[in-house]
């Protein structure tokens, strides 16, 4: 069994049984108890791999994985309760669209295109990895309307229409492909699927292209 299969087997066992002792008991047969006449000894033999009807799992592996799953569960619950957009009275269509996608993009893969003017009056545009920006930046100022979300030179793509500066950067979620003659492509690193952001290209069934019109942005 390769490491990935072994990890999946442990996960299945951990989610199935509340305690390590429950797992050991599931491996003990009535015949084992008949001959051994000692439940504690039977458990020890299963733990050592001498008896049992299934996968051998060490106590430390079981307890470590159990703790990790519980931490992940609590973190997910806390995250859902502390969404930046939660409780905000959003009137702007673009901010509403961001709020709808915030929860999914804590681990998701939305790409945002924005074209607007920066604080210097320069026209800028770019593609933003929403999930990545959520992790490195506090979106409170955007959902409160104190600041506009704008593309930066550190985003997946950035273009300043006034001084013609163009920058592309891969992110933890996406690889930017710049050598495509028809335009930029983004490869999602988890499933390796290609996202073509050209509006003239038919969107695949695994992607969803949504255009949001709002008063304070030139294009989103």
């Amino acid at each position: 069994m390769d490491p990935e299969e072994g990890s999946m087997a442990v996960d299945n066992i951990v989610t199935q049984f509340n305690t390590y002792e429950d797992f050991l008991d599931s491996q003990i047969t009535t015949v084992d108890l008949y001959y051994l006449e000692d439940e504690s000894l039977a458990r020890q033999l299963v733990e050592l791999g001498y008896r049992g009807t299934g996968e051998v799992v060490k106590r430390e592996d079981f307890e470590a994985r159990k703790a990790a799953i519980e931490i992940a569960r609590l973190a997910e619950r806390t995250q859902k309760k502390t969404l930046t957009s939660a409780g905000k009275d959003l009137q702007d269509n673009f901010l509403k669209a961001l709020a709808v996608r915030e929860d999914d993009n804590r681990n998701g893969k939305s790409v945002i295109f924005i074209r607007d003017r920066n604080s210097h009056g320069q026209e800028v545009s770019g593609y933003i990895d929403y999930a990545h920006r959520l992790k490195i930046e506090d979106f409170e100022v955007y959902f409160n309307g104190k600041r506009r979300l704008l593309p930066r030179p550190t985003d997946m793509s950035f273009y300043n229409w006034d001084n013609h500066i163009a920058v592309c950067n891969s992110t933890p979620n996406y690889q930017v492909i710049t050598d495509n003659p028809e335009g930029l492509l983004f490869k999602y690193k988890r499933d390796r699927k290609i996202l073509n952001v050209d509006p003239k290209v038919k969107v695949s069934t695994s992607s969803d292209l949504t255009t949001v019109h709002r008063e304070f942005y030139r294009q989103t």
Side-chain angles (χ1 to χ4, degrees):
M1 180 182 297
D2 62 37
E4 184 175 352
E5 291 179 341
S7 178
M8 290 178 61
V10 173
D11 285 353
N12 290 335
I13 291 171
V14 167
T15 54
Q16 185 177 355
F17 299 100
N18 291 326
T19 67
Y20 187 65
E21 283 67 28
D22 289 342
F23 163 67
L24 295 178
D25 291 344
S26 73
Q27 302 295 297
I28 300 172
T29 67
T30 54
V31 176
D32 292 332
L33 292 176
Y34 176 79
Y35 285 105
L36 294 172
E37 298 181 346
D38 188 330
E39 185 179 48
S40 178
L41 176 59
R43 286 177 174 175
Q44 291 178 28
L45 292 176
V46 172
E47 187 169 356
L48 293 171
Y50 294 116
R51 308 291 292 180
T53 60
E55 189 71 27
V56 177
V57 178
K58 295 181 179 179
R59 181 182 293 272
E60 55 266 31
D61 292 339
F62 181 95
E63 293 178 349
R65 190 61 191 139
K66 194 78 170 178
I69 291 175
E70 179 64 14
I71 290 173
R73 185 183 67 82
L74 292 175
E76 182 179 1
R77 179 190 299 175
T78 301
Q79 174 182 293
K80 288 183 177 180
K81 290 182 178 180
T82 57
L83 292 176
T84 310
S85 59
K88 301 288 191 304
D89 183 18
L90 304 175
Q91 303 298 321
D92 181 80
N93 290 334
F94 178 62
L95 293 180
K96 288 178 181 179
L98 288 182
V100 168
R101 292 163 176 78
E102 183 186 2
D103 191 10
D104 288 340
N105 275 276
R106 293 295 173 177
N107 296 296
K109 52 180 181 180
S110 288
V111 173
I112 304 170
F113 175 79
I114 293 177
R115 183 173 179 178
D116 197 13
R117 292 191 180 275
N118 61 21
S119 58
H120 302 290
Q122 298 171 324
E123 188 172 348
V124 297
S125 64
Y127 289 94
I128 299 171
D129 179 348
Y130 186 23
H132 181 52
R133 284 281 289 263
L134 279 171
K135 288 183 178 180
I136 65 173
E137 190 176 357
D138 184 1
F139 267 59
E140 186 76 24
V141 291
Y142 302 125
F143 287 118
N144 280 337
K146 295 179 179 179
R147 189 184 302 171
R148 289 172 299 140
L149 178 64
L150 292 174
R152 298 174 175 176
T154 53
D155 282 316
M156 290 199 298
S157 78
F158 173 86
Y159 184 67
N160 186 310
W161 293 79
D162 288 27
N163 56 30
H164 305 293
I165 293 178
V167 182
C168 291
N169 307 282
S170 293
T171 69
N173 300 313
Y174 284 94
Q175 175 188 345
V176 180
I177 301 173
T178 59
D179 56 0
N180 178 42
E182 298 179 357
L184 284 176
L185 298 174
F186 303 122
K187 179 189 285 187
Y188 190 56
K189 293 181 178 180
R190 291 186 184 179
D191 58 19
R192 305 184 67 82
K193 291 182 179 179
I194 301 293
L195 175 62
N196 190 329
V197 291
D198 186 345
K200 297 178 182 178
V201 176
K202 183 179 179 181
V203 179
S204 68
T205 55
S206 60
S207 302
D208 180 23
L209 177 62
T210 304
T211 301
V212 180
H213 299 282
R214 62 159 297 179
E215 180 180 354
F216 302 111
Y217 285 79
R218 288 199 59 175
Q219 187 178 356
T220 55

